[in-house]
Amino acid sequence: MQGTRLDMDRIRAARQVIAPIFLDSPLYRCEALELGCAVDIKLETANPVRSFKGRGTEVVASQLATSDSRAVVCASAGNLGQALAWSGRDRGLDVTVVASRFATTAKLDRIRALGAKLELVDGDHELARVRAAEIARYDGIRLLEDSLDLETCEGAATIGLELVDALHGTDPAVLIALGGGALATGVGYVLKTLAPAVEVICVQPLGAPALTRSWHERRVVTTETADTIADGVAGRIPIPEVLDDLLVVADDAVLVQESSIVAGLRLLLDHAGLVVEPSAALGIAAILEDRDRFAGRQVVTIVCGSNVDQDKYRRWVGL
């Protein structure tokens, strides 16, 4: 596909270096989710870091393991940091993660448990990005920028390779959580290259709409705040290069309300037996808010993570 930074040969090559535990994740029809359409779940939580992020960090870590510099720093809301720590641990990499001290405690604890250095900042994810860049410059080490660095996008794109053969239903659509954009651009690129009839729909919370607004206005739109329970997608400052890719591979970008995200969490628990983080319920939220659009169609939702604060989760779902 012309006009993007992504490359199909590199995506296929990524499958060769990603640990098998992250590949070929479960994909199944969840008939218990009676939403007026055929809902297929692509479950990206059944792995050691409980999110799709390991696909991208495996690519990065495999490269660093054979380079002169074996140190890397990233900013993370939690999931990327865990994944980079896991991928770097057995390869002997020196991993530093910068995160907001307001990030989900369970995610921060897991980053520490996996052996990474963790630095906390008194601000949101955007401040963590600034601090990570400072560390990289000062120490002369690799800065891994989620969604900007192609390894994160093309690692995530391997999910698309696993979806293509399963998209044979009525007017199929794939719902993808939209945060920094690695998942959406990666999967969207593969689908639009190999199965162009599939509708690629990105979903973002109404309280963190920057990249969705940017997609609609075809220019970078920033926001002063991000207010959503879906912390994994709560960015405020889109990356221009990512927006350029997204404009090519996405058919639509929609915003959903917090109440719909919570309803999605409950449905996935009650009818699919899945405990997930709010970002992973965005696809279900989108169906709930526009049932007519999806009626009678095959709809794939990528359940992208399950690292959630248990106390908050119980309040959200009423346990």
Side-chain angles (χ1 to χ4, degrees):
M1 177 179 292
Q2 298 298 314
T4 74
R5 300 173 300 146
L6 290 89
D7 178 82
M8 191 63 70
D9 289 338
R10 289 198 304 263
I11 292 166
R12 291 193 171 104
R15 279 188 60 89
Q16 307 308 310
V17 300
I18 296 172
I21 193 65
F22 294 108
L23 297 172
D24 300 311
S25 57
L27 173 64
Y28 59 95
R29 177 69 48 82
C30 188
E31 296 181 0
L33 287 170
E34 298 178 355
L35 296 172
C37 55
V39 179
D40 291 340
I41 287 175
K42 180 64 168 166
L43 189 63
E44 287 293 310
T45 64
N47 62 60
V49 298
R50 304 201 306 194
S51 84
F52 76 95
K53 296 289 189 181
R55 294 182 184 248
T57 59
E58 281 290 282
V59 180
V60 174
S62 68
Q63 296 171 353
L64 286 171
T66 59
S67 71
D68 293 333
S69 176
R70 299 173 63 83
V72 59
V73 59
C74 75
S76 175
N79 285 346
L80 180 71
Q82 291 180 73
L84 186 59
W86 191 94
S87 295
R89 183 178 58 180
D90 291 340
R91 293 177 173 92
L93 304 182
D94 182 2
V95 176
T96 300
V97 179
V98 184
S100 167
R101 66 175 65 255
F102 307 110
T104 300
T105 301
K107 295 179 180 181
L108 299 180
D109 288 345
R110 187 61 181 154
I111 290 169
R112 295 188 185 96
L114 287 166
K117 301 173 186 175
L118 180 62
E119 180 174 322
L120 301 179
V121 297
D122 288 316
D124 65 6
H125 180 66
E126 302 302 344
L127 183 60
R129 286 175 59 188
V130 171
R131 177 56 184 155
E134 290 175 349
I135 292 172
R137 287 193 299 270
Y138 185 81
D139 293 343
I141 63 176
R142 166 70 187 269
L143 171 65
L144 175 60
E145 287 205 71
D146 197 11
S147 303
L148 176 61
D149 288 2
L150 279 173
E151 297 95 333
T152 62
C153 305
E154 292 177 342
T158 59
I159 297 171
L161 295 176
E162 297 166 16
L163 287 176
V164 168
D165 291 339
L167 293 167
H168 47 68
T170 302
D171 190 16
V174 176
L175 299 171
I176 309 173
L178 183 61
L183 182 62
T185 57
V187 174
Y189 172 81
V190 172
L191 294 179
K192 284 304 173 184
T193 302
L194 302 180
V198 174
E199 187 178 24
V200 174
I201 304 171
C202 305
V203 189
Q204 200 165 35
L206 188 61
L211 193 46
T212 294
R213 289 182 180 173
S214 299
W215 185 89
H216 283 282
E217 297 189 25
R218 304 186 69 84
R219 64 179 181 88
V220 170
V221 177
T222 64
T223 61
E224 291 297 321
T225 60
D227 183 15
T228 176
I229 62 171
D231 62 298
V233 294
R236 296 187 293 106
I237 305 174
I239 298 169
E241 295 90 337
V242 177
L243 174 59
D244 290 342
D245 291 339
L246 196 67
L247 287 169
V248 176
V249 304
D251 293 302
D252 199 2
V254 301
L255 298 172
V256 295
Q257 300 178 64
E258 297 294 293
S259 59
S260 298
I261 300 172
V262 170
L265 291 174
R266 291 188 186 119
L267 284 172
L268 287 168
L269 175 62
D270 293 342
H271 300 291
L274 297 175
V275 175
V276 304
E277 59 189 86
S279 300
L282 288 171
I284 300 299
I287 299 172
L288 290 171
E289 292 200 3
D290 200 350
R291 289 176 183 256
D292 289 345
R293 177 176 188 172
F294 300 106
R297 302 173 65 181
Q298 179 191 18
V299 182
V300 176
T301 181
I302 301 174
V303 174
C304 55
S306 63
N307 293 295
V308 64
D309 182 294
Q310 291 297 320
D311 290 336
K312 290 181 180 177
Y313 180 83
R314 293 186 184 97
R315 291 197 299 272
W316 293 330
V317 302
L319 292 179

